[in-house]
Amino acid sequence: MDNPDGLQAPDLYDSQVDSETREFMKLMTGIQDENELRAHILDVQAKAFTVARYPCITSLQFLRRKMSDHAAYGQVLKLGRERGGALLLEMGACFGIEIRKAVADGFPVKQIIASDLNTGEEYVICFLRTTHEGFETNGPILLLEFWEFGHVLCRSTPESFPVTFLAGDALDPEFLSPILYEVETRPPLDLARNRTLNALKGKCSVIYARSFFHVFDEVQQYQLAHALGSLLSPEKGSVIFGSHAGNTEKGLVAHKKIAGKESTFFHSPSSWEELWCETSLADPRGGMARWGEDTLERPVFLFGEVRVETSLKFASSGSGMRGYYMDWSVTRL
C-alpha cells in the first residue's frame, strides 16, 4: 500500500496495536488472519488520512479504547444496566471504536448517540477489498464523515450497529447551545427524527469526551463545558467524563504545528475543577447560563451539585508527542 505524504510508516502498527486491540478488532471485523487484519486497518487509516490529517489518524489512536480504562467506566456500565432508558453520548466520536467497546460490554446499543463534525464534503474512496456489506471489491465508496469510516473499519452497517449518529458543529448554538433550557421548553425526544444535540437537554445519563476539549481555545472550552453540562441528566450518578491533554498550570503552550495549530490552551487539574463547579458555598460565580444571559464566565454547576475528579499523568503518544494527559469526571451528587 502506498504511504501518503505525512502518514507514519506502516510498521507503527506493530508497535502501537497491542494484542488486546488486535483481538478486539478481530471481534469487530470478523477478520481472524493477522496479516489480513493489519492490511485492512492500514487501508482504512490511509483513506481516512486523505480526509483529515489528524494525529489520532497518523498514530492509529482511533483504535484505542480509553473509555474502558477510565475510572468512571464501571459507573457507565452500571447506568446502562440499571437505569431504564439511560442515554450515552460520545462527543468527537471519530470511528466510534470507544462506544463499540461499551456495546460489547453490555450498554444498550439503541441508547447511544455519537456526534462529530460533518466534513461538509463528499469523498469517493476506493478500498482494496470488500469491507462493508453491499460495497464491491475495489469499488468507489462515498463517505461523508469519519463515522462512516467506522462502519467500513468494523464491517458494520447502520442496521447492524444502530447507534444514532448526529453530525454537527459543537460550537454552533443551533446544534448545541450552551444555554440551559427550562424544563417545560424541552421538546419530546425522538432519536430517529432528532438532528441536533439540543433535544438532549437534561436527558443524558453519560457523556464521554476523549481528546475533545484540548482542540478548542479557552473561551470555546467554557462554552462546550456549559453546553455538555446542560445535557446531563439531573439524576444522581449521571456523569460526564473523558480525557485530554493538560498541564500542571493552565495557559497557552506553543508546540510544533499540529493540524494547523502551533499552540494549544491547556487546563490544569485545579482550573478544570473550577471550570465545572463552584469551589465553595461562598463562590458567587456558579450556575449554568440561562436564557437571556450573555456570559459563560462561571462554573457550570453550583457547589454541591457535582463531584469533580481529575488525574494528571505524563505520557507519550504514538504520534511522538510527549506531555501531560488528564483523566477527569464530573458526577451528579
Side-chain angles (χ1 to χ4, degrees):
M1 180 183 67
D2 292 335
N3 197 29
D5 181 39
L7 188 61
Q8 296 188 32
D11 59 10
L12 181 72
Y13 178 93
D14 300 316
S15 63
Q16 292 298 314
V17 184
D18 59 22
S19 59
E20 183 179 349
T21 299
R22 293 196 301 272
E23 289 304 311
F24 181 73
M25 292 310 299
K26 287 178 182 179
L27 176 66
M28 293 295 100
T29 63
I31 300 173
Q32 300 305 310
D33 181 80
E34 291 280 356
N35 291 330
E36 183 182 352
L37 180 67
R38 183 180 187 274
H40 172 64
I41 290 173
L42 292 177
D43 185 28
V44 176
Q45 179 205 29
K47 301 307 188 294
F49 188 73
T50 66
V51 175
R53 301 188 172 198
Y54 294 148
C56 65
I57 302 299
T58 63
S59 62
L60 293 169
Q61 292 295 302
F62 61 86
L63 296 175
R64 298 289 297 275
R65 303 169 315 285
K66 297 282 287 184
M67 181 195 292
S68 58
D69 293 334
H70 200 287
Y73 190 61
Q75 172 68 4
V76 172
L77 296 182
K78 181 180 179 181
L79 287 169
R81 290 192 306 267
E82 299 179 2
R83 182 180 293 179
L87 295 180
L88 186 162
L89 167 66
E90 181 181 9
M91 298 298 297
C94 194
F95 290 7
I97 297 299
E98 299 267 32
I99 50 181
R100 288 175 186 268
K101 171 62 173 170
V103 170
D105 288 341
F107 203 99
V109 65
K110 292 186 178 180
Q111 293 167 211
I112 297 178
I113 304 102
S115 185
D116 210 333
L117 277 172
N118 187 325
T119 62
E121 300 181 47
E122 296 180 348
Y123 296 85
V124 178
I125 304 295
C126 185
F127 280 84
L128 301 180
R129 59 196 61 79
T130 303
T131 56
H132 192 302
E133 182 179 331
F135 290 157
E136 298 294 331
T137 302
N138 293 325
I141 304 172
L142 183 65
L143 297 176
L144 298 177
E145 295 107 7
F146 279 134
W147 182 253
E148 292 174 320
F149 276 104
H151 280 305
V152 174
L153 177 64
C154 295
R155 293 182 164 181
S156 61
T157 67
E159 291 71 36
S160 65
F161 188 68
V163 164
T164 297
F165 177 74
L166 297 177
D169 183 352
L171 295 174
D172 179 2
E174 294 297 317
F175 182 71
L176 177 58
S177 170
I179 305 300
L180 179 65
Y181 295 164
E182 296 298 336
V183 174
E184 60 270 22
T185 67
R186 295 175 188 160
L189 182 62
D190 183 348
L191 289 180
R193 296 177 179 273
N194 183 45
R195 294 295 179 268
T196 77
L197 294 177
N198 284 329
L200 301 178
K201 296 286 184 180
K203 293 183 169 68
C204 293
S205 296
V206 179
I207 302 172
Y208 179 61
R210 170 196 166 198
S211 298
F212 177 71
F213 276 92
H214 66 220
V215 175
F216 304 95
D217 64 30
E218 182 178 14
V219 173
Q220 291 169 338
Q221 289 188 42
Y222 265 95
Q223 176 181 334
L224 291 167
H226 276 272
L228 295 186
S230 73
L231 303 183
L232 190 65
S233 166
E235 294 183 74
K236 181 179 179 179
S238 300
V239 60
I240 309 175
F241 73 112
S243 57
H244 56 251
N247 207 352
T248 53
E249 296 183 3
K250 79 168 185 176
L252 200 63
V253 176
H255 51 68
K256 68 178 183 179
K257 193 171 185 178
I258 301 173
K261 295 175 60 179
E262 295 182 337
S263 63
T264 299
F265 179 84
F266 295 122
H267 271 285
S268 68
S270 60
S271 69
W272 190 245
E273 293 172 17
E274 291 168 358
L275 183 157
W276 285 100
C277 188
E278 288 179 327
T279 56
S280 71
L281 284 172
D283 190 339
R285 302 171 302 139
M288 294 185 193
R290 298 177 184 271
W291 288 116
E293 297 184 340
D294 59 2
T295 179
L296 298 174
E297 296 179 1
R298 65 185 69 205
V300 177
F301 295 102
L302 298 172
F303 180 77
E305 287 187 326
V306 297
R307 178 180 66 253
V308 183
E309 297 175 286
T310 61
S311 174
L312 189 69
K313 298 179 181 178
F314 192 83
S316 58
S317 72
S319 61
M321 294 182 63
R322 293 166 56 86
Y324 289 98
Y325 223 73
M326 183 165 60
D327 287 351
W328 56 274
S329 62
V330 180
T331 307
R332 285 279 195 186
L333 299 177

